[in-house]
Amino acid sequence: AYNLKGRNLLTLKDFSKDEINYLLSLSEDLKAKKRAGIEGKSLSGKNIALIFEKPSTRTRCAFAVAAKDEGGMPEYLGKNDIQLGKKETVADTARVLGRMFDGIEFRGYEHKTVEILGEYAGVPVWNGLTDLYHPTQILADFLTLKENFSKLEDLNLVYTGDGRNNMANSLMVGSAIMGINYTIVAPEELWPDKDLIKECKKTAAESGAKIEITADIKDGVEGADAIYTDVWVSMGEEAEFKKRIELLTPYQVNMEMIKLTKNPDVIFLHCLPAYHNTETENGKKIFEEYGLKEMEVSDEIFESKYSKVFDQAENRMHTIKAVMTATL
Ligand code: CP
Ligand code: NVA
């Protein structure tokens, strides 16, 4: 076993390939234990702060249920509940929470905030999504890949859509570390930051992963084992809808794209929440304005046998439980 006690998870760069493999096998053990109805005590006596500047279903519930399952106590702190960054500096809040809690999850806007929390809290800090990265999601995604293909190395993972967001970035970082071939298929305006690409290519040279960025859909998706997409407009970017819809409509994951993979066993992944039909309040408004019925993924694919999105969602809980038990 690896000793990860006291460690932060701000981006996947914080962990080595072996450490990530260890977290994934710990997740498998915890998942089996949960299925068997066995309760754990690995977080007994641990108090866990959950700070949310942005809304969340999966991440919040994954942390809360995981903590409870292992005997810990989760406390939800919404953006209007605490002084963070408004009446009190992030560094001061970090030092206060660090005196009372054993671990702190943060979801919010600026990545800098989670870095300051990590620097000052004195207890493990886990990134539950920032504008730049979403590392705990990637652990769930990789567990899902492992469950489907029994390996990670040499898989071809294709991400299409907004190639500059937290998901595109984090999948690139994680793939580079783990030896997964990673292709971003996106219009050039939405390619990732050049420095991040350079950094990931350097990491990939060690693991043997190939990192490619292309605007060409046919070329990019051929041979994919998994097609991954995310919302075209992330939380906090709502002013971008018009532009993103114009740029990304050709990049929708639909049956045509699935066929272009030429792989009958390809799977579809999405971190969720997804715009795949008109049944949500936000979706309805946006779709009416732009004459759409769905966005980043067609309803047909979302509901198809290719789709593993609810396995991913469940795996958030098992992998987050692994992160907490390993670092506390
Ligand atoms: N995938 C994910 O992070 O979902 P939530 O925004 O619901 O937490
Ligand atoms: N890119 C999305 C991910 C949501 C889990 C967002 O930041 O809104």
Side-chain angles (χ1 to χ4, degrees):
Y2 288 78
N3 186 353
L4 304 181
K5 300 259 174 287
R7 298 267 291 272
N8 293 334
L9 174 54
L10 307 186
T11 91
L12 286 172
K13 298 174 208 169
D14 293 338
F15 292 99
S16 69
K17 181 178 181 178
D18 287 345
E19 288 169 343
I20 292 172
N21 272 323
Y22 163 67
L23 286 173
L24 293 174
S25 62
L26 181 59
S27 307
E28 287 165 344
D29 292 347
L30 290 166
K31 185 170 180 174
K33 205 167 113 184
K34 173 90 178 180
R35 290 282 157 95
I38 305 165
E39 273 183 41
K41 290 196 191 72
S42 66
L43 299 176
S44 155
K46 305 289 185 191
N47 298 311
I48 291 154
L50 307 176
I51 307 175
F52 282 84
E53 283 181 353
K54 289 174 177 172
S56 164
T57 300
R58 279 141 288 265
T59 308
R60 173 185 180 170
C61 297
F63 271 98
V65 171
K68 173 73 179 45
D69 277 356
E70 289 293 321
M73 196 284 296
E75 175 73 1
Y76 179 80
L77 305 165
K79 75 172 190 311
N80 298 320
D81 302 332
I82 56 171
Q83 312 282 14
L84 181 80
K86 281 176 250 162
K87 198 169 171 181
E88 182 165 66
T89 66
V90 177
D92 289 356
T93 301
R95 285 175 285 185
V96 171
L97 294 180
R99 295 291 182 103
M100 301 186 196
F101 290 91
D102 301 285
I104 301 170
E105 177 276 355
F106 172 80
R107 161 171 294 198
Y109 293 90
E110 286 180 37
H111 189 70
K112 188 87 200 136
T113 308
V114 81
E115 289 179 340
I116 298 170
L117 285 171
E119 193 183 333
Y120 285 91
V123 298
V125 171
W126 313 291
N127 177 0
L129 181 149
T130 60
D131 287 344
L132 283 188
Y133 297 107
H134 195 6
T136 64
Q137 176 71 48
I138 309 311
L139 294 175
D141 301 339
F142 286 0
L143 180 59
T144 311
L145 284 175
K146 246 184 113 184
E147 288 171 345
N148 280 276
F149 301 105
S150 310
K151 64 165 191 177
L152 291 178
E153 269 182 4
D154 296 327
L155 286 179
N156 296 318
L157 171 62
V158 174
Y159 173 93
T160 185
D162 177 7
R164 290 184 67 80
N165 73 10
N166 40 24
M167 284 308 308
N169 288 345
S170 284
L171 285 168
M172 181 158 68
V173 171
S175 297
I177 298 170
M178 302 310 286
I180 299 170
N181 301 317
Y182 181 61
T183 307
I184 292 182
V185 183
E188 214 171 322
E189 291 90 324
L190 295 173
W191 287 4
D193 176 72
K194 285 205 175 68
D195 290 336
L196 184 63
I197 299 176
K198 217 161 116 192
E199 190 185 335
C200 288
K201 283 195 170 165
K202 214 170 127 198
T203 309
E206 286 164 40
S207 71
K210 283 200 274 308
I211 306 288
E212 283 174 54
I213 323 284
T214 178
D216 188 308
I217 295 169
K218 191 164 170 288
D219 233 44
V221 307
E222 189 176 334
D225 293 301
I227 297 274
Y228 201 118
T229 196
D230 184 14
V231 287
W232 290 347
V233 172
S234 288
M235 289 180 269
E237 300 184 320
E238 287 72 15
E240 302 288 313
F241 263 112
K242 187 173 188 298
K243 208 166 125 211
R244 293 288 170 79
I245 288 168
E246 282 162 12
L247 281 171
L248 288 171
T249 296
Y251 294 85
Q252 183 191 65
V253 180
N254 50 34
M255 194 52 91
E256 196 186 335
M257 185 182 282
I258 292 292
K259 282 187 183 143
L260 285 174
T261 66
K262 300 191 178 152
N263 177 8
D265 300 319
V266 67
I267 63 168
F268 169 70
L269 300 174
H270 192 311
C271 54
L272 306 180
Y275 283 121
H276 62 93
N277 61 31
T278 52
E279 283 168 28
T280 66
E281 199 184 313
N282 284 0
K284 228 182 243 149
K285 252 192 257 162
I286 300 151
F287 294 152
E288 258 165 37
E289 205 172 326
Y290 299 100
L292 301 169
K293 284 204 181 71
E294 49 210 5
M295 269 196 270
E296 70 271 12
V297 56
S298 71
D299 201 47
E300 183 183 12
I301 296 304
F302 188 91
E303 300 292 353
S304 72
K305 63 170 198 231
Y306 303 106
S307 179
K308 305 293 175 192
V309 297
F310 296 109
D311 293 331
Q312 279 176 278
E314 179 190 330
N315 285 340
R316 296 298 307 286
M317 203 283 286
H318 306 300
T319 45
I320 280 171
K321 193 184 275 177
V323 168
M324 288 196 290
T325 55
T327 56
L328 289 187

